[in-house]
Amino acid sequence: MNRPAPQTGTSADKAPPADTRLMADWRRRVGALTDPMRAMLAEVCEQGGPAVADHFYGAMLEDPRAARFLDVNQVRERLKPSLQRWLKALLAATTGEIANLYALQEHVGHVHARIGIPVDLVGRGARMLKDDLHAGIRARAGDDAAALEVVLAVDGLVDIAMETMTRAYARSREVVGALDGSFRLFSLIQNIGTERERQRALLLAWENSLLYALTAEQPGPPQPLLISRSEFGLWFLHKGMASFGDTAETREVSAISERIDAALRERLPTAANAGERRLLLDQLRALADQIRSLVSIMFDGIGDLESGRDALTRLLNRRFLPTILRREISLQANTGRQFAVLMIDLDHFKSINDTHGHAAGDRALQHVASLLMENTRGSDYLFRYGGEEFVVVLGSVDEVEALGIAEGLRRAIAASPVALGDSLRLPVTASLGVAMQDGHPDYERVLARADAAMYQAKRGGRDRVVLAGSDMPDPPGARVLRY
């Protein structure tokens, strides 16, 4: 494979030169710690660290905003030990370790930005940590003067770590905001006119299915008729709202869709005769007309699109992958709809280039990209991730559905050799990793799990689908979060 190292973060993750004044202040504060002060802080961390972590995460789990980013198992198994290691590293550092400490705080700040943790929660956490450390210091200091000296030193170290985190956080959020704005302009639509007509046709198809069901003697259950489960509804949820942004029109389409689904759930089961069902149908079609008008307004308002497609395959490039994954994570948190990430790598791609030339390799990539477009849904996102790798983001799927789509893609690729001219057909296969979003708020986690599953498929013999498990080894070159 000719695979680049994973780089899914924004350009903010490529940190500018360190703030030399901040680094100098950090070294000065660390250099001012005496051996007795270091000994006391080591004792505070060793003996009081578990209690500090329990208090910190206990309070965070009680806060609804903070609890959205946490779960009990994650806190117990990873975050509490990580917090204790962070405290120990911060309070026991020497001047020679400041550069590594600075880089760690920058990394934490970028992760907080990716997840979207409110900055005031980070500030509250720092205040809680300092309060607990103050109590531990006072309990061990011989007198108030000694306690005050250590407390001031600890406050300075925690504050400077928070300043470094906040600096990285602000830079990441600025880049994320600009990228999300670019994504709305880009809107994932290669041909605006074609996409407009496609969505109008999908909305009409939903109306026709509604007409057929409500004029039948036995209309059946409402669930298959919900507009939110239609092809149009899935496109609007996963692509339309992301493309057009939070506007009056998108909010109105969402509200009307909810009214349609609520009416179907509440009134269809009790519509005992054809007259009642006809009245319901007329009301729902009037609401669909409103949606059709709003969608036209939304398309009319689209401006010039920015480049975001891979020039060779015409799939999305990786530029907007963080935007899509952040939005799917938010959708899952708000609606409960799970999503999946597929990592796809063409098998033995290097030998194609070496044996048949790079033009043949390009043709193979274009061919596979076409197969991906033909065998996925309109609400799914397709990316060329780099080299011979592709990423597919499947919205509103469970594990069985995701594995079914992945297996269908694998079979489609294996069954369709690449035409190279002169009757030459080149067989191509792919290894696929599937990762279901597990509730973790950092998009890099689900991507890394899909990557690990794809490598497991490679090691297992290629031309297969593997579902990511919790015990998989990390893929080569992966950036795994360890803080």
Side-chain angles (χ1 to χ4, degrees):
M1 291 184 295
N2 182 21
R3 182 177 186 269
Q7 294 178 342
T8 59
T10 67
S11 59
D13 292 319
K14 301 174 180 66
D19 186 322
T20 55
R21 290 178 299 176
L22 189 149
M23 293 276 283
D25 189 24
W26 206 334
R27 289 191 183 92
R28 178 182 63 78
R29 293 175 184 275
V30 168
L33 293 174
T34 64
D35 289 342
M37 294 167 69
R38 288 182 176 278
M40 183 187 298
L41 292 176
E43 185 178 336
V44 169
C45 289
E46 186 66 29
Q47 298 181 8
V52 170
D54 287 344
H55 180 213
F56 180 90
Y57 282 111
M60 288 295 177
L61 284 169
E62 291 175 356
D63 186 303
R65 290 192 303 155
R68 173 173 173 260
F69 304 98
L70 305 169
D71 65 63
V72 174
N73 291 332
Q74 178 193 46
V75 166
R76 182 183 63 252
E77 297 172 7
R78 190 171 68 87
L79 295 181
K80 285 185 179 180
S82 293
L83 179 61
Q84 294 176 65
R85 289 194 300 270
W86 177 83
L87 271 178
K88 184 177 180 180
L90 178 65
L91 301 182
T94 63
T95 54
E97 295 169 329
I98 298 303
N100 289 337
L101 265 181
Y102 184 96
L104 175 61
Q105 314 317 310
E106 286 242 317
H107 172 67
V108 173
H110 289 313
V111 173
H112 286 172
R114 282 202 304 268
I115 295 172
I117 292 179
V119 69
D120 61 291
L121 288 180
V122 179
R124 183 199 303 172
R127 187 178 71 250
M128 290 174 57
L129 289 176
K130 288 195 288 187
D131 286 345
D132 285 344
L133 291 171
H134 293 172
I137 291 166
R138 287 196 302 270
R140 291 166 177 81
D143 54 63
D144 289 345
L148 178 61
E149 185 180 20
V150 182
V151 162
L152 291 174
V154 165
D155 283 0
L157 292 175
V158 173
D159 288 347
I160 207 164
M162 291 299 112
E163 182 181 342
T164 308
M165 283 185 200
T166 303
R167 180 176 182 266
Y169 183 101
R171 189 169 65 251
S172 277
R173 295 307 294 175
E174 287 172 3
V175 174
V176 164
L179 187 61
D180 288 353
S182 296
F183 176 73
R184 292 190 190 97
L185 287 176
F186 176 74
S187 75
L188 308 184
I189 300 168
Q190 193 169 10
N191 186 310
I192 294 176
T194 300
E195 188 66 22
R196 180 206 303 260
E197 294 309 311
R198 180 172 182 271
Q199 295 313 317
R200 290 176 65 89
L202 289 176
L203 187 57
L204 181 60
W206 171 80
E207 283 190 74
N208 288 337
S209 66
L210 191 68
L211 173 64
Y212 178 81
L214 294 187
T215 55
E217 290 186 9
Q218 300 293 331
Q223 188 69 15
L225 301 176
L226 300 180
I227 193 169
S228 61
R229 290 293 177 180
S230 69
E231 276 286 304
F232 169 81
L234 290 174
W235 170 84
F236 181 75
L237 177 67
H238 293 285
K239 285 192 174 179
M241 292 180 67
S243 300
F244 298 110
D246 183 17
T247 67
E249 289 78 19
T250 55
R251 289 193 295 272
E252 186 66 13
V253 170
S254 296
I256 294 172
S257 298
E258 290 173 4
R259 288 171 59 192
I260 289 174
D261 286 354
L264 282 167
R265 291 190 182 100
E266 295 168 8
R267 296 172 56 188
L268 183 58
T270 60
N273 56 62
E276 291 178 352
R277 292 196 294 272
R278 181 69 195 187
L279 179 61
L280 175 60
L281 176 62
D282 289 344
Q283 292 171 346
L284 296 182
R285 294 181 72 179
L287 292 173
D289 280 340
Q290 294 180 38
I291 290 179
R292 188 176 292 105
S293 298
L294 289 165
V295 169
S296 294
I297 292 171
M298 287 154 50
F299 274 102
D300 289 341
I302 278 193
D304 294 334
L305 306 182
E306 291 189 10
S307 176
R309 292 194 183 274
D310 175 60
L312 178 65
T313 64
R314 302 307 299 160
L315 301 183
L316 292 171
N317 59 39
R318 61 198 294 160
R319 177 187 181 197
F320 291 128
L321 183 56
T323 297
I324 298 306
L325 292 177
R326 280 195 307 273
R327 189 170 186 282
E328 289 296 327
I329 287 170
S330 177
L331 274 176
Q332 185 190 28
N334 294 329
T335 68
R337 295 195 181 196
Q338 200 168 18
F339 74 92
V341 172
L342 313 185
M343 183 73 75
I344 304 170
D345 188 280
L346 301 190
D347 297 327
H348 304 296
F349 185 75
K350 185 176 184 300
S351 66
I352 295 176
N353 284 332
D354 292 346
T355 304
H356 301 282
H358 286 279
D362 289 349
R363 178 72 189 99
L365 292 172
Q366 292 170 329
H367 178 72
V368 171
S370 296
L371 292 174
L372 296 182
M373 287 186 280
E374 292 169 7
N375 291 276
T376 50
R377 306 166 302 172
S379 55
D380 300 329
Y381 291 94
L382 309 177
F383 296 85
R384 184 182 178 195
Y385 189 60
E388 67 273 25
E389 283 188 315
F390 301 87
V391 167
V392 181
V393 180
L394 306 173
S396 295
V397 292
D398 58 25
E399 183 178 298
V400 173
E401 291 168 327
L403 287 172
I405 293 173
E407 180 60 28
L409 291 174
R410 185 200 64 79
R411 289 197 302 266
I413 294 170
S416 180
V418 182
L420 296 182
D422 299 327
S423 301
L424 178 61
R425 296 292 183 270
L426 180 65
V428 176
T429 62
S431 300
L432 291 85
V434 180
M436 302 301 299
Q437 166 63 359
D438 59 1
H440 195 284
D442 189 351
Y443 64 79
E444 283 206 352
R445 180 181 175 91
V446 67
L447 198 60
R449 291 171 56 244
D451 207 20
M454 183 272 289
Y455 270 94
Q456 191 78 355
K458 290 286 187 187
R459 289 189 287 264
R462 296 180 168 84
D463 188 24
R464 64 192 61 209
V465 174
V466 171
L467 177 67
S470 59
D471 57 346
M472 279 191 174
D474 299 330
R479 287 176 11 180
V480 180
L481 307 178
R482 294 298 188 196
Y483 73 97

